[in-house]
């Protein structure tokens, strides 16, 4: 029982029983799938969208008229969509940063090899996740995390030494 193909997969169809001298011609009824290769009894197809496709094969037997085409319907699954959000920044001084996926998939594979729905990071970099849905179709996304930490500079007019008489209080105010 073959797996239902996903968008972008290459499907191979093979006529099992070889008949000497018989040639086969392959065609796809819809425009959104192309024949990648065909070699008489074997043809490979690659769908560009999800949905139903109709693949037809015609048999040519020497000395006979061409046969009526045999049409095979194939359903193609969509690839899951995963979104890690926009590239962002974090400051390692504030602790780790967690990338959270809200969607529920059958399998998660992060660029570091972990397989959890969420990834905790402590360094800048580009992080990629590949998700697999219940049909075995895959989706992929990546996020770039930059590190940015603000340094606080104290004005030189403030004397921060304990016991100083002038300017002994310094406050950061959020505007």
């Amino acid at each position: 029982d073959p797996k239902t193909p996903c968008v972008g997969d290459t499907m191979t169809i093979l006529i099992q029983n070889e008949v000497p001298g018989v040639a086969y011609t392959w065609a796809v009824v819809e425009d959104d799938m192309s024949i990648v290769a065909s070699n008489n009894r074997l043809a490979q197809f690659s769908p560009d969208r999800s949905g139903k496709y109709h693949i037809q094969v015609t048999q040519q037997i020497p000395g006979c008229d061409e046969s009526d085409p045999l049409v095979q319907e194939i359903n193609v699954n969509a690839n899951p969509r995963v979104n890690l959000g926009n590239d962002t920044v974090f400051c390692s001084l504030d602790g780790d940063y967690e990338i959270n996926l809200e969607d529920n998939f059958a399998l998660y594979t992060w660029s570091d090899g972990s397989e959890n729905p969420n990834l905790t990071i402590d360094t800048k970099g580009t992080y990629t996740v590949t998700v697999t849905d219940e049909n075995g179709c895959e989706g992929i996304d990546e996020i770039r995390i930059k590190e940015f930490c603000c340094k606080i500079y104290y004005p030189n007019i403030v004397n921060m030494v304990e016991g100083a008489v002038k300017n002994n209080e310094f406050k950061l105010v959020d505007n």
Side-chain angles (χ1 to χ4, degrees):
D1 189 28
K3 165 187 167 292
T4 302
C6 306
V7 172
D9 284 353
T10 298
M11 301 176 288
T12 301
I13 299 176
L14 174 68
I15 296 175
Q16 294 291 325
N17 300 321
E18 183 173 6
V19 178
V22 174
Y24 299 93
T25 305
W26 298 88
V28 179
V29 176
E30 293 80 11
D31 291 333
D32 296 338
M33 182 161 58
S34 56
I35 298 175
V36 176
S38 65
N39 183 5
N40 202 21
R41 294 185 318 129
L42 181 135
Q44 292 182 319
F45 303 91
S46 183
D48 295 334
R49 64 166 176 81
S50 61
K52 290 182 182 180
Y53 287 94
H54 297 88
I55 296 172
Q56 63 185 29
V57 60
T58 306
Q59 188 178 51
Q60 294 99 27
I61 302 172
C64 297
D65 291 337
E66 187 173 273
S67 69
D68 289 336
L70 170 69
V71 177
Q72 176 69 45
E73 182 177 280
I74 296 176
N75 290 311
V76 176
N77 291 317
N79 291 323
R81 294 183 188 266
V82 58
N83 184 359
L84 294 178
N86 295 329
D87 293 350
T88 190
V89 297
F90 88 111
C91 177
S92 60
L93 299 176
D94 294 335
D96 295 339
Y97 183 82
E98 188 164 313
I99 304 170
N100 296 309
L101 283 176
E102 301 295 323
D103 300 316
N104 190 15
F105 297 105
L107 180 66
Y108 304 83
T109 306
W110 291 92
S111 47
D112 69 351
S114 63
E115 296 182 344
N116 297 314
N118 303 321
L119 180 68
T120 302
I121 62 165
D122 59 3
T123 59
K124 66 181 180 179
T126 300
Y127 297 89
T128 305
V129 67
T130 301
V131 297
T132 306
D133 67 12
E134 67 279 354
N135 298 313
C137 298
E138 293 182 345
I140 189 168
D141 195 20
E142 74 176 21
I143 187 170
R144 189 170 165 200
I145 309 285
K146 294 181 181 180
E147 185 167 3
F148 178 76
C149 294
C150 293
K151 293 183 179 180
I152 299 175
Y153 293 97
Y154 299 103
N156 61 6
I157 61 168
V158 176
N159 184 351
M160 296 300 285
V161 178
E162 193 171 322
V165 178
K166 292 182 160 183
N167 300 321
N168 63 355
E169 187 175 309
F170 179 76
K171 292 181 184 178
L172 294 177
V173 180
D174 185 21
N175 288 334

